[in-house]
Amino acid sequence: MSTGGPDVSTRAEQREQTRLTLLRESRRLFATEGYGAVGLSEIVAAAGVTKGALYHHFASKTELFRAVLEQVQQEVGERVAAAADAAAEPWDQLVAGCQAFLTVSTDPAYQRIMLVDGPALLGWAEWRRLDDDNSARHLAEALTELIAQGVIAAQPVEPLTRLLSGAMNEAAQWLAAEGGPHELADTQAALSGLLEGLRT
């Protein structure tokens, strides 16, 4: 008598593979062409699946984009955290993480999805929630530690996190619109000066 175990697990693996393929191909298309220029037909053709398979995993193109944006935001958060963790001292970790955020924000693999289409499609509140779940959380942790050590003057962490996060997000969106290595270097220099002003 067959239990159906291997067939069930194989089907589950195939479904997950289909989902990952849809995410990969739609992400590539969204990054290069933009959300508005990409149709579902183009996505399913690139993924080699049917529209039915797409709708099995995602109710709409917007839901698919949201999943891609969440993936991008998570990766950006991981890259920022990795840059911060590579520095030895807490202050250097804060600076490295903030500078890495600006650098990553100019990467074409992230830029259009995260900074152009994301806020426009999902709205500012939802976009900020995703940012809070990733990059802003790391920033709050770093600031909390620096305040505890006396490197930054004692103050409520939440407003400071919001101010710095807002400034960096605004700068990143400006860089997405303006582009260019010169603007990135100038923005990073301005950020360094802003952060230095926090030190006691």
Side-chain angles (χ1 to χ4, degrees):
M1 179 175 154
S2 172
T3 62
D7 289 342
V8 170
S9 64
T10 301
R11 283 196 301 273
E13 288 168 7
Q14 289 171 340
R15 281 194 299 274
E16 181 59 15
Q17 189 57 50
T18 298
R19 182 179 178 281
L20 292 174
T21 301
L22 283 164
L23 284 171
R24 183 185 68 241
E25 293 303 318
S26 61
R27 177 174 172 170
R28 179 181 60 80
L29 291 166
F30 291 149
T32 55
E33 298 179 29
Y35 176 86
V38 178
L40 288 178
S41 297
E42 190 177 358
I43 292 170
V44 296
V49 301
T50 64
K51 278 192 179 177
L54 184 148
Y55 285 124
H56 176 76
H57 294 280
F58 304 100
S60 64
K61 187 172 102 168
T62 302
E63 187 179 306
L64 174 58
F65 179 83
R66 184 189 310 273
V68 168
L69 178 59
E70 287 175 354
Q71 187 181 65
V72 165
Q73 289 273 35
Q74 183 177 349
E75 284 179 24
V76 168
E78 288 168 358
R79 284 182 62 177
V80 167
D85 290 345
E89 297 298 321
W91 175 259
D92 296 330
Q93 290 173 347
L94 172 69
V95 173
C98 290
Q99 296 290 11
F101 175 77
L102 290 181
T103 301
V104 170
S105 296
T106 62
D107 186 333
Y110 303 119
Q111 198 173 51
R112 186 164 200 161
I113 293 168
M114 185 175 80
L115 299 170
V116 178
D117 290 339
L121 184 64
L122 300 183
W124 186 247
E126 177 67 7
W127 187 87
R128 284 289 301 142
R129 185 192 63 76
L130 292 174
D131 183 59
D132 283 347
D133 290 345
N134 295 287
S135 301
R137 178 172 47 85
H138 296 298
L139 178 59
E141 290 168 0
L143 292 171
T144 299
E145 183 176 356
L146 288 166
I147 290 170
Q149 292 180 356
V151 177
I152 295 175
Q155 59 189 288
V157 172
E158 184 71 15
L160 184 58
T161 302
R162 295 291 173 188
L163 285 166
L164 285 177
S165 180
M168 287 187 290
N169 282 328
E170 180 67 24
Q173 288 183 319
W174 177 73
L175 287 169
E178 298 296 321
H182 184 70
E183 286 83 2
L184 175 60
D186 285 350
T187 305
Q188 288 182 316
L191 177 60
S192 291
L194 185 67
L195 292 173
E196 279 296 326
L198 294 174
R199 297 182 85 171
T200 54

